[in-house]
């Protein structure tokens, strides 16, 4: 009998008994809970939970039996075998530090995922020093005139490749409202500022002009409202009056790749649940 | 019917069903789990759990009913009404920054505890600018010759005042092996280095001589082995070649008071469980 | 012959020869440079410098001789014997954590200054557990109707006590435009957010609603433009989805007092020079 | 007339007049100081200085004229045109995260250096996914029996390629005492712990067993005394009781590459001067 690892995530209106029902269910099927985290949001009165457990029952029967509990507590839920990797599409532009970093972490097994494709508005030659292994590469050039067609093509790739999550790895194009809405909750962006400060273009130059003493980067879900989606992860680093905007860009690169890879890692382990305008992140 | 808040902490050999049993028990008594954290130590094969819940049952009956589960899973456990505050004894020497900080946090309600006394090897006048409210002050001077008597007096105070935890708030005397052993697990110290670096005397001077780039402070349980007890909390701050040992002392003060107050706060909320030579800290 | 320590700070349009002229001047008067820092702002084309030196010449003659260099390079400058302490006025409201912290650091010699007074819109009884030593306390209650009079009284105190710098230690009243302008460059505020995020009221509640993962505090000069003055120091700390607005307030207190005391310390050592909308901070 | 950028670094017994002499010299040759930092070590009574300046004089004549000042103040000094890049040899083993990171930063211009070679005890195939551009690769396998020959070969490469600095980018072999001594001051290592804690083998496992709450990495000069050379840069990251040794290894990778690249960057900009057992780091 093979033991499989599973992630169960759920959210529902808060009421007593959820933890008891879920943990008893897992126990009765012979499962062993490895890690469990929960969050009881007093404001929205919603409950969030993530359980990681091992069990010899298969995914199918685990899900079937859970339907009754899900109904009883009005759950929005997901149960996934850890081995069933998420499918991720990475989008990049000329600045390739996040792309290179994600590929490296994926190669050494730090980010367990299937990269279903790499999309860029620049041709393959721009990345000539990077080994894409056998990941499909899509060159989708874009101009103001072709934006709609380009985005349609992108959505086609997302659908055809059964993409679970689109990662904007410093993809420098602004998504149309329509695309943002369609990808809402299925797309993570890294913004090169400590949001909500310095939204929009050239945040490092804005930060320099304002004379701030720490710069930041933010990984967040894309929603129809630009730079306003639920934040997943942020970090900062110290800067001084002596740092030029170019220095901030350099220091920021390290932040961006760290913050994006952490956010993606949380997602790949089902540690992120959207809670209205914010994210619940059950970090490890 | 009055609803009370409780903390339940437990540790036991790991096996399936503990979470189910505990959460079902709380549910059946009408309790509502606010927060639950667990840790399954693969190395020691021990399981650790902390549950914060509200319930209208009283402490007495909650404990009585739990005995059966405790036996079944071979639990070491504690259940406490949040309102039953821990009793803490603070020990200080001439450097009073940690003492002042703890008193301030206690005064504004940040550290929910009963300070059963303040002990110093210096007289009350040394702290003339500090308001001790109506906390008993014990002047226990100490010399190599009187150390044994002084420590006996201290243990008497600990026993008489029903002290749960002794806090060494930069108490500069080294406890005897005998006292350390007697207070083992019931005494938290703050060491002014990033342990295990720079054990023993004058850690800031050691750090300066070694040319390190970050200094630290460490809050840990006292055990018979000096500076080797389970670590509860640590933090660091950046220093440069330009910092003198005196600068390190100054920068270190901020670390020491932060680290000690965080460790104490974790303890006061039953977030710390000893796990052999280490601590499980269910941080918030 | 007594050797005195001095701080020299200056700013001027950038051109070659300034460092040579200044260091030669100090050398020829028998001075020994302990620390020198400079900043050449490429954007504004202005040069900033701070020199700490020891010298047996007295303040008077040092200044007199320097006038020629100052003219030659069109300097805005200040030269001060370290022993001539700055005069600081602290303003506080009900939340007294910054006030208590500043007083403590002053008492142990960490902040070399003369506290010329403490001003509050609350009466002395509110601070009954705090030892004010012999610092004058001014109770200046304020209502919308009396605001103008109250501020006039404040300016009188500033003038009468020869105050160099006003410190708003979580003083919760908004200064009028007129007062802000009059104190511009002579008043440091601590704002309980990572500016420019969450300007204005209740920043921790704003931060919570936005779901950010790090909260911050900012010490900045007051100018006529509220929360927009040159930033001196900032810091952040990690928060999670589980932190309530009240938790942010608690975690923020530690940030606020740290950030404000660091900013004040920089000021007291003449390490801060205003550069348009930003600050040059020659940190140690 | 072409303007060149220069770095001047020097150290000498401290006495008044050094800054004046140096800055006057630069000024008289028409140079413009961009950045100057100094450190007056009260303990060793030595003075350290770094000046970055632009000047139309050539390197040769700048050096020739400086000889007199150098003699007068008994200077150990170096003057270098910024465009004359340092020559660096990178050594790696199977773990390639530091190697990949250094190559990436070099490729995008963040680390201005000539990589004169890459040395590994593993063959080229191990790095098949990495683009080495036209950097020479040396496969120097090593066994206890061949260690002496291997190290002799390495020293040959260092000499033949005119290597300024050897970078041990997680090169997992322990250098012999003889090699360490020969490379002393010309070799930077990254150790995967917060030195001086957890010297020697398997530091992450040591850290885990000790239950520390922050792990670190340290970049330091190699000297004959293993893991005891002057520290250049350190950093830490938070860990919890829940992190396995493998988690520490993963979290540590990010620290190691950050710390090593920062140390190398400081070196490449002549910001690091050895001061006995410690380093003076004039960070930007």
């Amino acid at each position: 009998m093979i033991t499989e690892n599973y992630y169960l995530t759920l959210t529902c209106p808060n009421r007593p008994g959820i933890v008891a029902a879920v943990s008893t269910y897992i126990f009765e099927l012979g499962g062993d809970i490895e890690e469990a985290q929960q969050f009881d949001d007093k404001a929205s009165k919603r409950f969030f939970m993530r359980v990681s457990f091992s069990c010899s029952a298969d995914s199918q029967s685990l899900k079937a039996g859970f339907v009754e509990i899900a109904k009883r507590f009005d759950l929005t839920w997901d149960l996934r075998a850890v081995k069933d990797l998420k499918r991720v599409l990475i989008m990049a532009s000329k600045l390739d530090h996040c792309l290179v970093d994600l590929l490296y972490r994926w190669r050494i097994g730090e980010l367990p995922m299937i990269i279903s494709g790499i999309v860029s508005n620049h041709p393959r030659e721009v990345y000539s020093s990077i080994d894409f292994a056998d990941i499909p590469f899509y060159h989708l050039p874009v101009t103001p005139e072709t934006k709609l067609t380009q985005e349609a093509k992108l959505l086609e790739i997302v659908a055809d490749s059964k993409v679970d999550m689109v990662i904007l790895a410093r993809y420098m194009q602004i998504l149309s409202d329509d695309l943002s809405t369609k990808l809402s909750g299925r797309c993570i962006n890294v913004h090169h500022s400590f949001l909500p400060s310095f939204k929009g273009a050239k945040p490092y130059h804005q930060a320099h002009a304002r004379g701030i003493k720490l710069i930041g980067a933010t990984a967040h879900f894309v929603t129809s409202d630009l730079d306003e989606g639920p934040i997943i992860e942020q970090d900062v680093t110290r800067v001084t009056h002596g740092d030029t905007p170019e220095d901030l860009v350099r220091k920021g690169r390290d932040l961006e790749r760290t913050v994006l890879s952490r956010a993606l890692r949380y997602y790949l382990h089902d540690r992120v649940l959207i809670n209205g305008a914010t994210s619940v992140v059950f970090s490890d």
Side-chain angles (χ1 to χ4, degrees), chain A:
Chain A
M1 210 164 58
I2 297 152
T3 297
E4 204 62 69
N5 292 307
Y6 293 96
Y7 297 142
L8 170 68
T9 51
L10 58 88
T11 174
C12 62
N14 191 29
R15 42 181 266 224
I18 307 166
V19 181
V22 169
S23 54
T24 302
Y25 178 73
I26 291 170
F27 173 60
E28 286 174 350
L29 279 161
D32 190 11
I33 294 178
E34 312 263 332
E35 195 185 333
Q37 285 164 294
Q38 54 180 88
F39 171 54
D40 181 3
D41 186 350
K42 305 284 188 194
S44 69
K45 296 193 193 311
R46 287 195 71 81
F47 178 83
F48 297 83
M49 191 177 192
R50 175 187 182 272
V51 185
S52 150
F53 65 99
S54 58
C55 190
S56 59
D58 65 82
S59 183
Q60 211 67 351
S61 36
L62 274 169
K63 283 180 179 180
F66 197 66
V67 168
E68 187 274 323
I69 293 173
K71 255 187 208 153
R72 198 183 343 145
F73 289 97
D74 194 15
L75 302 183
T76 305
W77 63 288
D78 191 40
L79 191 150
R80 179 168 72 95
V82 173
K83 65 169 182 185
D84 295 336
L85 300 180
K86 296 277 192 186
R87 299 179 60 82
V88 168
L89 184 76
I90 302 177
M91 299 189 67
S93 291
K94 224 159 199 171
L95 297 174
D96 59 10
H97 53 287
C98 285
L99 172 64
V100 165
D101 187 61
L102 294 181
L103 285 171
Y104 181 74
R105 293 180 197 267
W106 165 75
R107 181 166 283 127
I108 64 171
E110 196 176 304
L111 293 175
M113 60 183 172
I114 291 159
I115 305 180
S116 60
I118 295 168
V119 170
S120 174
N121 53 330
H122 297 283
R124 180 65 181 89
E125 303 87 81
V126 166
Y127 312 101
S128 59
S129 69
I130 314 175
D131 180 356
F132 282 170
D134 48 6
I135 303 166
F137 175 81
Y138 306 93
H139 177 208
L140 300 189
V142 64
T143 62
E145 290 74 37
T146 61
K147 196 177 184 102
L148 279 187
T149 336
Q150 194 242 18
E151 293 194 340
K153 180 85 186 100
L154 174 69
L155 283 173
E156 216 178 287
I157 296 169
V158 168
D160 289 354
S161 317
K162 295 184 175 53
V163 169
D164 293 301
M165 188 60 67
V166 176
I167 302 295
L168 304 183
R170 292 301 311 277
Y171 179 68
M172 306 296 281
Q173 302 296 317
I174 294 173
L175 307 191
S176 72
D177 285 359
D178 181 57
L179 183 61
S180 297
T181 306
K182 278 180 178 142
L183 291 179
S184 186
R186 289 191 300 150
C187 180
I188 293 172
N189 181 42
V190 61
H191 186 76
H192 40 313
S193 89
F194 187 70
L195 287 176
S197 289
F198 312 127
K199 286 187 259 189
K202 290 200 163 272
Y204 290 127
H205 289 77
Q206 293 182 53
H208 184 261
R210 186 63 186 84
I212 65 161
K213 301 302 182 189
L214 296 164
I215 55 164
T218 305
H220 63 95
F221 284 108
V222 168
T223 58
S224 55
D225 201 351
L226 191 68
D227 298 344
E228 290 285 353
I231 293 171
I232 303 168
E233 174 64 349
Q234 300 187 290
D235 215 339
V236 296
T237 199
R238 198 157 278 274
V239 297
T240 75
H241 59 266
D243 284 309
T244 61
E246 289 69 38
D247 290 323
L248 302 195
V249 168
R250 170 176 54 81
K251 290 187 172 183
R253 274 197 296 267
D254 276 12
L255 284 177
E256 294 157 28
R257 63 184 199 171
T258 306
V259 161
L260 180 59
S261 68
R262 271 196 225 136
L264 178 52
R265 199 169 181 280
Y266 290 146
Y267 164 71
L268 295 174
H269 291 85
D270 291 4
R271 294 183 178 280
V272 189
L273 284 83
I274 293 180
N275 180 19
T278 69
S279 294
V280 173
V281 180
F282 291 124
S283 65
D284 52 350

